[in-house]
mmCIF file of all heavy atoms in Angstrom:
data_model
loop_
_atom_site.group_PDB
_atom_site.id
_atom_site.type_symbol
_atom_site.label_atom_id
_atom_site.label_comp_id
_atom_site.label_asym_id
_atom_site.label_seq_id
_atom_site.Cartn_x
_atom_site.Cartn_y
_atom_site.Cartn_z
ATOM 1 N N ASP A 11 15.002 25.380 5.612
ATOM 2 C CA ASP A 11 15.192 26.673 4.957
ATOM 3 C C ASP A 11 16.688 26.942 4.833
ATOM 4 O O ASP A 11 17.425 26.829 5.814
ATOM 5 C CB ASP A 11 14.562 27.800 5.790
ATOM 6 C CG ASP A 11 13.036 27.790 5.685
ATOM 7 O OD1 ASP A 11 12.500 26.908 4.987
ATOM 8 O OD2 ASP A 11 12.399 28.664 6.303
ATOM 9 N N ALA A 97 18.781 16.874 -7.648
ATOM 10 C CA ALA A 97 17.485 16.986 -6.981
ATOM 11 C C ALA A 97 16.448 16.191 -7.778
ATOM 12 O O ALA A 97 16.602 15.995 -8.985
ATOM 13 C CB ALA A 97 17.056 18.441 -6.864
ATOM 14 N N GLU A 111 3.072 29.346 -17.928
ATOM 15 C CA GLU A 111 3.624 28.449 -18.959
ATOM 16 C C GLU A 111 4.882 27.729 -18.484
ATOM 17 O O GLU A 111 5.278 26.710 -19.051
ATOM 18 C CB GLU A 111 3.936 29.234 -20.250
ATOM 19 C CG GLU A 111 2.707 29.779 -20.965
ATOM 20 C CD GLU A 111 1.617 28.724 -21.159
ATOM 21 O OE1 GLU A 111 1.958 27.598 -21.602
ATOM 22 O OE2 GLU A 111 0.451 29.010 -20.849
ATOM 23 N N ALA A 141 -10.636 45.879 -3.768
ATOM 24 C CA ALA A 141 -9.237 45.779 -3.341
ATOM 25 C C ALA A 141 -8.543 44.535 -3.887
ATOM 26 O O ALA A 141 -7.360 44.309 -3.633
ATOM 27 C CB ALA A 141 -9.171 45.769 -1.822
ATOM 28 N N GLU A 183 -6.482 23.427 -9.423
ATOM 29 C CA GLU A 183 -6.989 22.664 -10.575
ATOM 30 C C GLU A 183 -6.229 23.045 -11.846
ATOM 31 O O GLU A 183 -5.859 22.203 -12.658
ATOM 32 C CB GLU A 183 -8.489 22.953 -10.774
ATOM 33 C CG GLU A 183 -9.365 22.312 -9.711
ATOM 34 C CD GLU A 183 -10.813 22.798 -9.774
ATOM 35 O OE1 GLU A 183 -11.054 23.918 -10.283
ATOM 36 O OE2 GLU A 183 -11.699 22.048 -9.291
ATOM 37 N N ASP A 199 -2.149 31.304 7.259
ATOM 38 C CA ASP A 199 -2.784 31.572 8.561
ATOM 39 C C ASP A 199 -2.232 30.650 9.649
ATOM 40 O O ASP A 199 -2.104 31.042 10.800
ATOM 41 C CB ASP A 199 -4.301 31.363 8.462
ATOM 42 C CG ASP A 199 -4.924 32.208 7.356
ATOM 43 O OD1 ASP A 199 -4.701 33.428 7.357
ATOM 44 O OD2 ASP A 199 -5.594 31.634 6.477
#
Side-chain angles (χ1 to χ4, degrees):
Chain A
D11 286 1
E111 293 311 313
E183 288 170 335
D199 305 307

